[in-house]
């Protein structure tokens, strides 16, 4: 599966939230993300990601292990993604460390998620704030099986984002991991 995703900086978070609240019920969640790599940073060098995410919601906590392959579309940053639910995240952290991986970076994301259908696709729109990064971001994603579907899926996502007053100048492919790392680097 390929995660077709676009991310943008949001100029008017209140407007976007109001519009999304009309489309679906929002779900506030806090993500605790830990990204792993080997000591030589070979995953980063190959544009791959290995992450353990624990999601704290109002009624439950769940964790997922995610592997993302290298970008298949440089304009959007869309990547193949494989994800599975984890019953015991501490065991997964221990396994990854036992296999020689080390935590490369860990940080928190405050999210408001909206699941809805548009253009005959299941979409997830997420308003994101990372305490270490200024501003609010919007991610809109859907999953596609065939790389040939990616362009059409991204067009559908752009359409939704346009309805939310997201302009072409607002789009970004900067990774949160890179932005957080840059903030933590002494100047």
């Amino acid at each position: 599966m390929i995660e077709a995703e676009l991310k943008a900086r949001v100029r008017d978070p209140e407007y976007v939230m109001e519009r999304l609240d009309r489309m679906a019920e929002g779900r506030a969640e806090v993500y605790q993300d830990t990204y792993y790599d080997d000591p030589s940073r070979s995953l980063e060098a190959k544009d791959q990601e290995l992450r353990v995410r624990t999601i704290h919601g109002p009624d439950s906590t769940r964790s997922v292990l995610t592997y993302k392959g290298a970008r298949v579309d440089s304009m959007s940053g869309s990547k193949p993604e494989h994800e599975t639910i984890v019953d015991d995240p501490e065991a997964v952290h221990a396994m990854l460390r036992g296999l020689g991986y080390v935590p490369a970076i860990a940080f928190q994301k405050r999210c408001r998620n909206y699941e809805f259908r548009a253009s005959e696709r299941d979409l997830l729109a997420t308003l994101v704030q990372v305490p270490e990064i200024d501003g609010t971001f919007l991610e809109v994603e859907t999953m596609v099986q065939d790389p040939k579907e990616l362009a059409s899926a991204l067009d559908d996502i752009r359409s939704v984002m346009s309805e939310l007053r997201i302009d072409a100048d607002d789009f970004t492919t900067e990774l949160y991991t890179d932005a957080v790392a840059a903030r933590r680097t002494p100047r």
Side-chain angles (χ1 to χ4, degrees):
M1 298 292 284
I2 298 170
E3 178 188 52
E5 178 183 49
L6 291 172
K7 179 169 71 173
R9 286 191 170 272
V10 178
R11 296 175 198 223
D12 188 350
E14 291 78 22
Y15 172 81
V16 172
M17 185 182 304
E18 177 186 311
R19 291 293 306 244
L20 286 169
D21 281 335
R22 291 184 202 165
M23 298 167 77
E25 184 175 340
R27 187 176 67 249
E29 297 178 316
V30 176
Y31 297 179
Q32 184 60 50
D33 289 350
T34 303
Y35 287 81
Y36 283 88
D37 206 336
D38 60 37
S40 68
R41 309 287 275 196
S42 69
L43 292 177
E44 180 181 22
K46 294 184 280 188
D47 191 31
Q48 299 172 333
E49 299 173 33
L50 182 59
R51 176 186 71 211
V52 177
R53 170 176 283 167
T54 298
I55 304 162
H56 303 279
D59 302 320
S60 66
T61 297
R62 64 192 187 282
S63 296
V64 292
L65 173 66
T66 305
Y67 164 75
K68 292 186 182 190
R71 295 170 212 220
V72 294
D73 180 75
S74 60
M75 295 299 291
S76 67
S78 296
K79 295 179 162 202
E81 178 178 282
H82 304 278
E83 193 166 76
T84 190
I85 294 170
V86 170
D87 287 331
D88 185 349
E90 293 311 313
V92 173
H93 286 289
M95 287 178 211
L96 293 173
R97 288 190 304 271
L99 290 168
Y101 292 102
V102 295
I105 194 163
F107 58 91
Q108 185 182 89
K109 292 170 58 176
R110 295 182 185 138
C111 300
R112 186 163 179 85
N113 293 301
Y114 299 86
E115 294 180 53
F116 57 94
R117 282 189 67 77
S119 303
E120 300 182 23
R121 295 185 189 279
D122 292 325
L123 297 174
L124 172 65
T126 305
L127 279 170
V128 177
Q129 291 182 318
V130 177
E132 294 177 76
I133 304 171
D134 293 332
T136 299
F137 297 86
L138 174 67
E139 303 170 8
V140 180
E141 66 184 65
T142 189
M143 299 302 283
V144 297
Q145 292 183 351
D146 187 334
K148 295 174 189 163
E149 297 175 58
L150 184 60
S152 147
L154 291 171
D155 285 344
D156 292 341
I157 291 170
R158 277 186 200 90
S159 176
V160 167
M161 292 179 99
S162 177
E163 291 174 28
L164 299 171
R165 293 188 187 161
I166 302 297
D167 297 324
D169 294 346
D170 299 325
F171 289 99
T172 181
T173 57
E174 182 179 30
L175 300 172
Y176 297 118
T177 51
D178 292 345
V180 170
R183 292 287 282 212
R184 292 179 183 175
T185 301
R187 295 184 179 152

